[in-house]
Amino acid sequence: MSNTEIIRDVVVIGAGAAGLTAANDLRTAGLSVAVLEARDRVGGRLWTDTIEGAMLEIGGQWISPDQQALIDTVAELGLSTFSRYREGDSVYVGPDGTVTRFTGDVFPVAPATAAEIERITADLDAMVAEIDPDRPWAHPKAAEWDTISWDGWLRSQTDDDEAVRNLAFATGSAMLTKPTHAFSLLQSLLMAASAGSYSHLVDADFILDKRVVGGLQQVPLLLAERLGEDVLLDQPVRSLTWDQDGVVAEAASVTVRARRAILALAPVLYPRISFVPPLPRLQQQMHQHISMGFVIKVHAVYDRPFWREQGLSGTAFSPYELSHEAYDNTNHGDERGTLVGFVSDRNADDLFRLDAAERKERILESLSHYYGPEAKSPIVYYESDWGSEEWTRGAYAASFDLGGLHRYGADLRTTIGPIHLACSDMAGAGYQHVDGAIRMGHRAASEILEELR
Ligand code: FDA
């Protein structure tokens, strides 16, 4: 069966936050667009669904106060937000399993360990302040900082293992979701610089500040609504033929001829598309050095937020627990209580070697260390597993392997002939976040508008 052929100014490949932002900007400026999306829904890594009667945000959900591009889009779309519940004590589980309550963002560790964490945090904040999140490779020490692992650098700063584990956590398990030996100090500094400072990343009240009432997927849903029939679902793009004059994108049942294309998907997925001619050698090499992190987002819904009755905020951390962090994730206006926990990188690998029942038991056991035995009996339980999603292949996002950032970073966003690039995984500010996706969407659209005007 031959494909339906359509002609547009721009074809956007991928209907996530980045692609839909770009498509709306182009449409507003008077260009015609078609957005081709592989899945049967829009939103990509933003996905709100109802599981056994509970509304769950399976992908991205939180907004922090520095994420101005996302804040502006949320406001422009008329969506309202609410704060994460944070009254009461947080919980920390130490190396011997001792559970300690605390307030603020300083973990209740031994004074000597706390002093080491404070000292190295100050050093990290100073290093991050020197990094331009849009050009981390331009720092004079970029090569040096990109060729030592995050773990290796931390261990060169202190002999205190608990300090190392707690410092590693902010950009490791909690953000890049890769083992800390697998990415560099520079990659870690970029992650922190993209959020303003290293201290911001350890401040849960900052980084996990607000959610959208009804779920963050409304952002792509409403952006797609404005584009109407120009968003085509179930259209994985299999080949992109390109020259200086334009592109031909072939999807499942549609072929789009356009003057420009925007690849609005994670760079790890570019090799799923057959480029004719192939992408330049540099890009073909570079994309092999970018990989997805991996984290399981665990949702446990209870008949009430029972931890609040114990004076707990729901905020819980431990570098020694299977679920290294967990929070109160109760929906706005919901009488039930929801906890969300995260299991990252090697812990996630290990859990997926177990069957579903054993996995659930192990995760709920870990949550019960924070909140007590009641945590073992949720009425709804769900694991977001983005690693098995063909069109994402991990979570939260993609980053360079050790040494890749200074070697290739400067070319990550470079336009290739008529092909422009947009994705949260190549952002500076807002890197690996929806804010970064929106920023990259605006950027790709304005590049094209400049070229075509
Ligand atoms: P995204 O991956 O969303 O979109 C790309 C689209 O391209 C997808 O729809 C995909 O199907 C499509 N596609 C791929 N290949 C294709 C092909 N060949 N043809 C056609 N279409 C194709 N962020 C945040 O700000 N706050 C948070 O709390 C979180 N938390 C979080 C939790 C979890 C579990 C995940 C997985 C992610 C987050 N994030 C987050 C990250 C955030 O969700 C993410 O950075 C952005 O949604 C990415 O948006 P993009 O548009 O860049 O890519």
Side-chain angles (χ1 to χ4, degrees), residues 31 41 50 63 69 78 88-89 115-116 164 193 227 240 286 314-315 348 368 373 393 411 419 425 443 447:
L31 296 188
R41 62 170 182 82
T50 301
I63 306 172
D89 293 338
E116 285 298 79
V164 168
L227 297 165
L240 191 68
M286 168 167 56
T315 303
S368 78
R393 301 185 166 205
D411 293 294
I419 307 170
D425 307 14
R443 177 181 178 276
E447 282 171 355

Side-chain angles (χ1 to χ4, degrees), residues 13-19 36-39 41-46 58-63 67 70 208 216 235-238 264-266 269 272-273 292 295 297 342 384 386 391-392 394-397 422-425 430-435 437:
I13 303 171
L36 299 176
E37 167 54 48
R39 290 177 160 102
R41 62 170 182 82
V42 302
R45 281 171 271 174
L46 296 178
I58 294 167
Q61 59 170 58
W62 278 300
I63 306 172
Q67 295 180 335
L70 174 57
L208 313 177
L216 194 53
Q235 296 297 336
V237 172
R238 303 290 189 195
L265 44 123
L269 295 169
R272 296 299 312 277
I273 299 173
M292 276 278 176
V295 63
K297 182 177 182 182
F342 296 89
S384 301
W386 289 87
W391 301 110
T392 303
Y396 308 106
C423 181
S424 68
D425 307 14
Y431 173 53
Q432 297 217 347
H433 285 79
V434 182
D435 179 68

Side-chain angles (χ1 to χ4, degrees), residues 55-57 61-63 80-84 208-213 215-216 328-332 338:
M55 191 273 270
L56 302 179
E57 297 209 65
Q61 59 170 58
W62 278 300
I63 306 172
S80 38
T81 59
F82 67 104
S83 294
R84 184 171 57 82
L208 313 177
D209 183 26
K210 296 229 179 332
R211 288 173 62 197
V212 164
V213 177
L216 194 53
D328 186 320
N329 206 30
T330 304
N331 290 329
H332 184 67
T338 302

Side-chain angles (χ1 to χ4, degrees), residues 350-364:
D350 291 344
L351 278 188
F352 275 114
R353 291 191 182 98
L354 307 175
D355 64 36
E358 205 179 335
R359 199 163 61 237
K360 177 178 174 183
E361 193 185 318
R362 293 271 306 276
I363 291 173
L364 291 176

